[in-house]
Amino acid sequence: MPKKNSTFCIRPFVSAVVNETGDIKPCCVIKKKHSTYQGEKYFNLKTSNVKEYWKSDYLKELQQALLNDQKPSECSVCWHNESNSAVSHRTIGNKEYKFLAKSNYEKYLKILNLYELDEPIEYEIAITNLCNLKCAMCSGVHSAKLLIENKAIGIEKQLDQKDFDWSDKTKKEFVESINSKTVKKLILLGGESLIVPDIIQILKNISETSYADEVEVNIITNGTIFNKKIETILQKIKKLKIIFSIESTSLCNNYLRYPSDWNQISKNVKSFQKLKDAYFYISCVVQNLNILYIDQIIKFAHDHNMHIRLMRLQEPNYLDLENLPQHLLKLAYEKLDRVPQEQRVHCTNFDGILNILKEAQNKKLNPDKFKEFKKMIILRDNFRKISINEYMPELAKEIL
């Protein structure tokens, strides 16, 4: 009888995620509110620290559940993605750590010197929702500018900017607590990571130590910022990965990631690529606003010798890529199906998105969901004093 697929995840054993409000979690997609654990499971830098979280009974129970091949309820996002044959955060993490075991996980962790670590060796750090853009698929949690707009148009009323504002003392203590001697990987994001002073300070601290050659640094950026100060710091880091969050090119980009300038972004991408010790790839969230233009960003990635990872949007629901009339889904499928093979091979989840589009053509459009999509487009356009017709006329015909 064949053994069932492993459900083990390496992330709770090696990493700590600190999000925009200061919450400390095992990974960025975990939903602690779904956890069945009855004790204290919420930790925040404003009232606690990473050390307390790392030694907590909650984390120990989560780790034990994974060692027992159980499927913790708070990990539902990954289970859902995997059930739909999509790439999950769990499988990506296991692959990055070369964790290949299908059983005897504790034994394999010990072999890799990853069992019962005294502190995290990987950090994912947001620190703030400071951002210079108001992206269509984003929320006020990740962009202070978008939060202001959302409140003005009557949504996200439950969010308060003060929840994202830490004291300088708290941020300073956290930045100084990151141990350059033991940390192996840093994932830095925002908001927009490269406009956050504390993120720049973390990078500077790493670059000025003898460990600058050893720490893998991943910077997630929208590509709008590049200057001499950033270049000088990044040149000293020898294991550098730049992940560009880009959903499209040209006018489609300018609309989705409002108010960005595609000409400036493409210029900055070329400047980043002059860094000698860096690896680059594009992370693209696939949604109904860019599904007709995905072929263009795939071509851009290929032309700039970069890999691209396509990820299906999770929320907001009205931007789901299937929330379009069938004739547009058919057009999107035909355009994507024409992408040359030499471009596809540099693309993660290409076949997955193509299959979704193929199957979606046979589904009926949910009128209420599409109505919400149109309402939100018109609402934002009116507030920004722009029109989707100027950016994506094919979609505008269905909305205006």
Side-chain angles (χ1 to χ4, degrees), residues 176-223:
E176 292 176 350
S177 73
I178 298 173
N179 190 344
S180 301
K181 295 180 182 179
T182 57
V183 68
K184 301 299 181 185
K185 184 175 182 179
L186 283 174
I187 304 170
L188 305 173
L189 57 160
E192 164 50 33
S193 57
L194 295 179
I195 66 172
V196 180
D198 309 284
I199 295 292
I200 300 300
Q201 188 61 52
I202 290 172
L203 289 168
K204 188 171 184 294
N205 290 351
I206 292 292
S207 71
E208 292 176 348
T209 71
S210 59
Y211 304 100
D213 293 354
E214 302 173 20
V215 181
E216 178 185 335
V217 177
N218 293 6
I219 300 173
I220 301 173
T221 175
N222 57 33

Side-chain angles (χ1 to χ4, degrees), residues 50-208:
V50 173
K51 185 176 181 180
E52 288 182 22
Y53 157 75
W54 195 249
K55 299 297 181 182
S56 69
D57 290 337
Y58 165 70
L59 185 60
K60 290 176 183 176
E61 181 163 299
L62 177 61
Q63 291 173 340
Q64 192 58 53
L66 292 167
L67 290 172
N68 293 341
D69 241 342
Q70 297 171 6
K71 297 175 73 173
S73 54
E74 58 262 58
C75 303
S76 57
V77 171
C78 285
W79 311 137
H80 174 75
N81 288 343
E82 291 171 25
S83 68
N84 288 285
S85 302
V87 177
S88 75
H89 202 50
R90 181 187 77 87
T91 53
I92 291 172
N94 289 348
K95 183 177 180 181
E96 288 175 348
Y97 278 88
K98 298 180 173 57
F99 196 92
L100 308 176
K102 301 297 182 182
S103 61
N104 299 320
Y105 306 123
E106 184 176 320
K107 177 182 176 181
Y108 202 67
L109 284 169
K110 290 178 179 177
I111 292 173
L112 295 175
N113 294 318
L114 297 176
Y115 186 65
E116 295 186 341
L117 296 173
D118 292 332
E119 56 188 311
I121 60 172
E122 176 180 324
Y123 282 88
E124 180 175 314
I125 303 167
I127 292 186
T128 177
N129 66 344
L130 181 64
C131 190
N132 55 352
L133 300 182
K134 301 186 289 186
C135 302
M137 59 287 179
C138 196
S139 78
V141 172
H142 309 292
S143 170
K145 290 185 71 172
L146 185 62
L147 181 55
I148 293 171
E149 176 176 307
N150 285 348
K151 285 185 172 294
I153 63 176
I155 61 176
E156 290 194 330
K157 293 180 180 179
Q158 78 283 7
L159 296 182
D160 195 318
Q161 182 57 41
K162 70 180 182 181
D163 294 330
F164 304 95
D165 296 334
W166 310 10
S167 71
D168 290 340
K169 181 176 180 293
T170 300
K171 287 189 285 188
K172 185 174 184 294
E173 288 175 351
F174 172 61
V175 170
E176 292 176 350
S177 73
I178 298 173
N179 190 344
S180 301
K181 295 180 182 179
T182 57
V183 68
K184 301 299 181 185
K185 184 175 182 179
L186 283 174
I187 304 170
L188 305 173
L189 57 160
E192 164 50 33
S193 57
L194 295 179
I195 66 172
V196 180
D198 309 284
I199 295 292
I200 300 300
Q201 188 61 52
I202 290 172
L203 289 168
K204 188 171 184 294
N205 290 351
I206 292 292
S207 71
E208 292 176 348

